Amino acid sequence: MAVIGMIHKYGAAIKNHHLPFAIAPTGASAVLLFAVPSSPLAQPRNVILGHVIAAQMGVFMYKAFENVETSLEWLPGALAVGLAIFFMGLTNCYHPPAGATAYLSGYFSADVKRVGWWFPLFPVLSVVLIMVGVAMIVNNICRVYPVYWFTTVHFKDNRPETQVEKEVEREKGKDIEEGGDDNDDGESSTDDSNRNGSRGSGTSSCSVDIQDEVNSIAGNETEAQLAWMQARIHELEHELNSLRAKHAEHALKHSKTYQPGML
C-alpha cells in the first residue's frame, strides 16, 4: 500500500493528467495477501482476474446507465456486483475485495468518468500487479507465495502418490521393527530396552501423526486444497528430516553410553 501511495503522490504522469491510481478495494486485498497468503482467495489468479473482471462489469454497468435518470443511480452498482460474482464463478477466481471494485466503478465513480473503458487496465490492473509483486517479495521471506499461479487440474482426477507418503510409511516400518528389536533385547537388559522402547514409541507416534495429517489433506477433493497440500508437503518433508536427525542423534548417544553387560 505504501508503494501505491508513493506512486499516486509522486508519479509525474498521474499528477499532470489528474489520473486515478489508488483504489480503496486494494486495502481489503492487502489483508488477504499478507495475512493469509496461503488462502485460495489470495492467489495471483484470483486477485488479478477478480479485480479486472469486477472493474470491467462496473464500467459496463456505468456506461449502460450513464444517460438514465438520476433516480436509478443506485442500480448499476448493485448489478455490477452481481455480474462480477457470476463471472468470477465461471472463471473460478473468486476474490471478495473485487466486489467493492465492481460497486465503486458502477456507482457513477468520478474515476470511471475520467478514464472510461480503460479503468480495468488503469488503474485496476496496474495497482493489482504491484500488490502481487510486493506480496511475492515480502511473503517469501518466511513463507511460500504464491501457492499456485494458474491451476485447472482437479484434485480427485490427478492425485499421484507422493514421495512424502512413501517416506512416512518407510519410517513407520523402521520404527516398528526397532521397537520389536528393543523388546527382544529387554530380556537381557531391562533398562536398555525401556530406553529404546521409549525412543521407538516416540518416533512412531510422530510418524503416525504426520501420516494422519497427510491422509486428512488427501481426503479433501477440491482444486484449491491440491495447491495447499503441495505447500504442506514441503513442511512435512522438513518434519521428516528433523525426525531422522533426532533418531540418529539418539542412536549415536545410546551406542556411546551403553555397552552389553553393564547391568
Side-chain angles (χ1 to χ4, degrees):
M1 297 306 296
V3 173
I4 295 172
M6 286 190 294
I7 295 175
H8 180 73
K9 177 69 174 179
Y10 301 107
I14 295 174
K15 291 175 63 177
N16 295 337
H17 297 282
H18 303 285
L19 297 175
F21 194 76
I23 53 176
T26 55
S29 295
V31 175
L32 290 174
L33 286 171
F34 297 101
V36 283
S38 61
S39 170
L41 301 177
Q43 302 312 305
R45 176 172 180 265
N46 294 66
V47 178
I48 296 172
L49 290 182
H51 276 294
V52 172
I53 290 173
Q56 187 63 57
M57 294 302 102
V59 175
F60 174 76
M61 295 310 303
Y62 168 79
K63 292 294 185 180
F65 285 82
E66 187 174 12
N67 298 319
V68 178
E69 59 184 28
T70 57
S71 61
L72 294 177
E73 285 184 354
W74 55 271
L75 187 57
L79 293 176
V81 174
L83 287 174
I85 294 173
F86 174 75
F87 283 102
M88 283 192 287
L90 288 181
T91 55
N92 194 23
C93 60
Y94 285 113
H95 185 64
T101 301
Y103 183 77
L104 291 177
S105 56
Y107 194 65
F108 295 95
S109 171
D111 294 339
V112 177
K113 291 181 180 179
R114 289 199 300 271
V115 182
W117 290 104
W118 287 98
F119 185 76
L121 300 180
F122 184 91
V124 174
L125 180 60
S126 304
V127 170
V128 169
L129 290 176
I130 291 173
M131 289 191 64
V132 171
V134 174
M136 290 177 61
I137 297 173
V138 174
N139 286 328
N140 281 295
I141 295 176
C142 58
R143 292 177 289 193
V144 176
Y145 182 83
V147 176
Y148 63 84
W149 282 92
F150 290 87
T151 176
T152 57
V153 180
H154 196 277
F155 185 80
K156 182 177 181 180
D157 298 333
N158 197 351
R159 184 173 57 194
E161 183 179 5
T162 65
Q163 188 65 29
V164 175
E165 292 178 273
K166 295 179 181 179
E167 292 293 333
V168 170
E169 289 293 342
R170 190 177 297 115
E171 287 295 318
K172 185 177 178 181
K174 289 181 180 179
D175 293 332
I176 293 175
E177 292 177 2
E178 291 177 3
D181 294 339
D182 290 340
N183 290 333
D184 294 338
D185 294 339
E187 296 178 358
S188 59
S189 175
T190 304
D191 292 341
D192 180 65
S193 65
N194 288 336
R195 286 194 298 268
N196 289 337
S198 299
R199 176 184 51 135
S201 177
T203 307
S204 178
S205 177
C206 293
S207 298
V208 171
D209 290 340
I210 295 174
Q211 179 64 34
D212 290 342
E213 191 162 0
V214 171
N215 290 337
S216 66
I217 295 172
N220 297 321
E221 297 181 353
T222 62
E223 177 184 335
Q225 287 297 328
L226 170 61
W228 186 88
M229 180 181 178
Q230 292 172 346
R232 183 58 183 157
I233 282 174
H234 294 292
E235 298 179 7
L236 292 175
E237 289 174 346
H238 289 299
E239 292 182 18
L240 280 172
N241 292 334
S242 176
L243 181 65
R244 290 173 184 155
K246 291 180 180 179
H247 191 158
E249 181 181 356
H250 188 90
L252 180 61
K253 181 178 179 181
H254 176 68
S255 64
K256 292 180 179 179
T257 58
Y258 171 72
Q259 297 294 335
M262 290 178 63
L263 297 177

